[in-house]
Amino acid sequence: LPAAVAGEETVFDNWIYSGQTVTVESHTFTILHGAKANEVLADYGAGNLFIGNNSCSSYGAARICLDNIEYDTTKKQYKLKVRGISLVPKITVTRTISKEEFLAGDAAIVTVTLENTGGIATDVFYKDEFTSEVEVVSSEGITKYTGRVEWKGQLKSSEKLSFTYKIMVKEPTERTFVASLQYFDGFRTKTVYSSPVKVKTTDPLVLTATVGA
């Protein structure tokens, strides 16, 4: 039995007979018992996968596994233990800021965690861009520019990645910023957004003294 990989989603796991279908991520596979007793053919229309017992094969963002073959003496045909697994990545963005109210010249730390709970994600691109009143002064684990940060790469199944960057508010402002994340999910480029963070400057406290006559 091929071991399940953490983060991959099993969408079908059952016994079937030759000629029945399994659908994974919009791909429909007709499972046919092959000429060899220990093999099946998974026909997806544009081609076939040949899958031996206790093994898997993939097409696009779908994986088909053959876990067992048994002969059904009642129906006088082989029954097949088949799993269908989705390989589509599913990425979430968690983004927090150490404070939201600033005096001009104050700094804060932004902490970001990317987590992939699906299959491998390629062409991952995270970007957080600020207006001219805000400057990125340092970063760890991500590339910084004057007014933005960017990270590019891939995230494996069940991988979690964290990075931080420090921003400084140079001038009075009150704005809300949202970061974006793009990745290829096996079919198309998908975009997700972080929760918004608000950056607001407050007027400095001015003390005045009254001098008596």
Side-chain angles (χ1 to χ4, degrees):
L1 177 66
V5 176
E8 295 179 353
E9 181 184 4
T10 298
V11 297
F12 183 89
D13 187 359
N14 213 336
W15 290 92
I16 63 173
Y17 292 96
S18 182
Q20 292 185 296
T21 61
V22 175
T23 299
V24 182
E25 294 299 342
S26 77
H27 298 301
T28 298
F29 299 85
T30 302
I31 309 300
L32 303 167
H33 188 228
K36 298 179 181 178
N38 64 342
E39 182 181 79
V40 297
L41 181 150
D43 182 350
Y44 52 87
N48 303 308
L49 301 176
F50 292 91
I51 309 169
N53 196 18
N54 294 314
S55 66
C56 303
S57 190
S58 302
Y59 171 70
R63 175 178 295 153
I64 301 296
C65 298
L66 176 62
D67 294 336
N68 201 0
I69 300 176
E70 291 184 1
Y71 188 73
D72 187 329
T73 56
T74 302
K75 293 194 173 185
K76 300 187 185 306
Q77 59 177 309
Y78 287 96
K79 60 181 183 179
L80 317 166
K81 182 65 161 55
V82 174
R83 275 182 299 142
I85 300 170
S86 170
L87 304 179
V88 170
K90 298 176 179 66
I91 303 180
T92 57
V93 181
T94 304
R95 173 171 164 265
T96 59
I97 189 168
S98 58
K99 66 177 181 178
E100 294 185 344
E101 292 198 0
F102 299 78
L103 296 175
D106 282 355
I109 301 295
V110 180
T111 302
V112 177
T113 300
L114 310 180
E115 184 175 9
N116 182 13
T117 57
I120 187 169
T122 59
D123 300 328
V124 183
F125 178 44
Y126 172 88
K127 181 179 181 181
D128 199 357
E129 191 166 16
F130 302 94
T131 53
S132 60
E133 300 90 351
V134 179
E135 179 181 351
V136 181
V137 294
S138 64
S139 65
E140 185 174 338
I142 187 171
T143 303
K144 84 172 185 70
Y145 301 90
T146 301
R148 72 185 193 279
V149 291
E150 295 180 358
W151 182 86
K152 297 178 182 179
Q154 69 175 29
L155 287 175
K156 297 177 182 178
S157 179
S158 297
E159 184 175 5
K160 183 184 290 188
L161 173 72
S162 295
F163 42 78
T164 60
Y165 40 100
K166 181 187 288 188
I167 61 170
M168 181 179 68
V169 180
K170 301 183 295 182
E171 303 172 20
T173 187
E174 184 173 351
R175 291 181 179 271
T176 298
F177 299 98
V178 176
S180 65
L181 177 81
Q182 292 183 328
Y183 63 96
F184 186 67
D185 70 358
F187 297 100
R188 63 192 68 86
T189 298
K190 188 172 183 179
T191 303
V192 295
Y193 298 95
S194 71
S195 57
V197 296
K198 186 176 181 181
V199 173
K200 178 183 178 182
T201 52
T202 56
D203 294 330
L205 179 63
V206 177
L207 299 179
T208 59
T210 302
V211 180

